[in-house]
Amino acid sequence: FFFPLKLQNKTKEKLQRQICQVVLDHFEKQYTKELGYAWARVRDVLTHPQCWQYAVLLNKFSWSLKLENTLCLKGYHPLFQETLPYLPASLKCYISGTPGRFPAQKHQPGKLKDYYLLNAASLLPVLALEVKDGEEVLDVCAAPGGKSVAILQCAYPGQFHCNEYDGLRSRWLKQTLESFIPAPLVNSITVSKLDGRQIGDLNPELYDKILVDAPCSNDRSWLFSSDIHQATLRLAQRKQLSSLQLQLLRSAVKALRPGGSLVYSTCTLSKAENSDVINLILNSCSNILPVDISDMGKAVSQEFTLLSGTRQHELLVLPEKGKAWGPMYVAKLKK
């Protein structure tokens, strides 16, 4: 049978959005234990993509008043309030209280995009990092590049090192940077394909600020694994992720200058990949201290649902209907 192209695409999208029962059963068991009653509300969002929301991060290098006016007319409003401890005026992000996605822009060589669509919670690690002009900055696991783009909306690092070990994702990262950042600035950015676990030995105590947005068991995408065999394999390998995350953090600690700050983030709810990893670093590295980010948490609590009971140096954003941002775990440390 030959379907019209539009119908083919809709059928393909429907197939891609089928929930993987193996993953859901695994999450049900783990997160009921870890999150208690909050899991039911989170599950309602994660299993219903039609209620997901997308933020619009404006590109200061291709600013458009017309775009801002269009967003306002469509019911979007600025995400962040001035009460945040760190909020550069050049960082502008708009959100809507209703589900849906603003139309995406296609990549056009030589032309900058006006905005980046993202999960609003993914800006929190960037805000926690508090990058200032002239600082030496490292993004250890930078692809697809959204957080790197957001960092450059905030400040002009003296040196910006974007690293991505995976070859395919590294090419994706380069394309993202070329789509949002002017050529002279892109040319000043170091893009590498190093094993993040080795950066600390290669560049000891070089950076003022480091972001470790670690590979993790991405709860949103895993729930819609179309290949059951792949999903089962992912779940079997899930326990090994915390070991990789710990190695990446140890490497980042080595690469961090004394007095420098490090932010660790994931897009999973998993305690083993979040607070447990941070606890291991704090307990094993005598030169690393937690940094209080509770003021940032209070400032964003109107737009994000945060897990209660977390410690002052960490936040966990829980997706909820009407505030379908996250999952996003953020922790801040200092050397």
Side-chain angles (χ1 to χ4, degrees), residues 22-157:
V22 174
V23 175
L24 182 58
D25 290 346
H26 181 90
F27 284 1
E28 195 77 46
K29 185 177 179 182
Q30 179 181 351
Y31 293 145
T32 298
K33 182 179 178 182
E34 293 182 9
L35 301 175
Y37 294 116
W39 166 240
R41 297 196 306 274
V42 172
R43 181 188 58 212
D44 283 350
V45 171
L46 293 183
T47 55
H48 292 88
Q50 65 271 21
C51 71
W52 294 2
Q53 293 163 269
Y54 296 87
V56 182
L57 175 66
L58 303 191
N59 185 9
K60 72 177 183 183
F61 301 109
S62 182
W63 183 78
S64 163
L65 178 61
K66 184 181 176 182
L67 172 60
E68 286 203 63
N69 289 338
T70 300
L71 287 167
C72 292
L73 287 170
K74 287 182 176 291
Y76 283 77
H77 63 272
L79 169 61
F80 297 115
Q81 308 303 317
E82 292 177 4
T83 51
L84 268 165
Y86 170 83
L87 183 62
S90 53
L91 181 75
K92 291 188 176 184
C93 185
Y94 282 79
I95 62 167
S96 170
T98 56
R101 185 197 291 252
F102 199 70
Q105 290 181 304
K106 290 183 179 179
H107 174 69
Q108 297 179 51
K111 189 177 188 304
L112 296 182
K113 292 185 180 182
D114 299 324
Y115 55 90
Y116 189 98
L117 300 178
L118 76 171
N119 184 326
S122 63
L123 290 175
L124 296 181
V126 173
L127 291 172
L129 198 59
E130 298 188 35
V131 174
K132 296 178 176 63
D133 290 347
E135 291 182 324
E136 311 286 300
V137 181
L138 168 65
D139 189 348
V140 179
C141 310
K147 292 181 181 67
S148 296
V149 166
I151 286 170
L152 290 166
Q153 302 303 312
C154 296
Y156 293 95

Side-chain angles (χ1 to χ4, degrees), residues 108-283:
Q108 297 179 51
K111 189 177 188 304
L112 296 182
K113 292 185 180 182
D114 299 324
Y115 55 90
Y116 189 98
L117 300 178
L118 76 171
N119 184 326
S122 63
L123 290 175
L124 296 181
V126 173
L127 291 172
L129 198 59
E130 298 188 35
V131 174
K132 296 178 176 63
D133 290 347
E135 291 182 324
E136 311 286 300
V137 181
L138 168 65
D139 189 348
V140 179
C141 310
K147 292 181 181 67
S148 296
V149 166
I151 286 170
L152 290 166
Q153 302 303 312
C154 296
Y156 293 95
Q159 179 195 347
F160 193 22
H161 182 177
C162 297
N163 182 70
E164 177 54 52
Y165 182 54
D166 182 86
L168 184 65
R169 288 173 61 82
S170 182
R171 289 195 292 276
W172 189 3
L173 167 65
K174 285 180 181 177
Q175 187 182 86
T176 300
L177 291 173
E178 287 167 5
S179 291
F180 289 91
I181 311 302
L185 186 53
V186 168
N187 293 337
S188 71
I189 299 169
T190 301
V191 179
S192 65
K193 291 195 288 185
L194 301 169
D195 184 333
R197 295 169 292 185
Q198 298 173 355
I199 288 180
D201 291 325
L202 294 169
N203 299 326
E205 298 193 343
L206 183 64
Y207 304 99
D208 301 298
K209 302 282 170 69
I210 298 178
L211 175 62
V212 183
D213 186 44
C216 67
S217 49
N218 186 320
D219 295 345
R220 284 196 186 223
S221 65
W222 280 28
L223 267 172
F224 296 93
S225 302
S226 55
D227 185 333
I228 293 177
H229 173 72
Q230 182 195 47
T232 306
L233 188 64
R234 276 176 169 175
L235 292 173
Q237 295 173 337
R238 196 179 193 198
K239 291 178 182 178
Q240 299 169 20
L241 277 170
S242 57
S243 174
L244 170 63
Q245 291 154 351
L246 187 61
Q247 290 175 66
L248 288 169
L249 263 178
R250 288 191 191 284
S251 176
V253 166
K254 286 183 182 178
L256 192 65
R257 284 178 177 160
S261 300
L262 183 157
V263 169
Y264 173 78
S265 61
T266 74
C267 52
T268 180
L269 299 161
S270 175
K271 182 174 174 286
E273 298 176 53
N274 293 338
S275 55
D276 287 357
V277 172
I278 292 299
N279 286 341
L280 284 167
I281 281 290
L282 288 171
N283 292 334

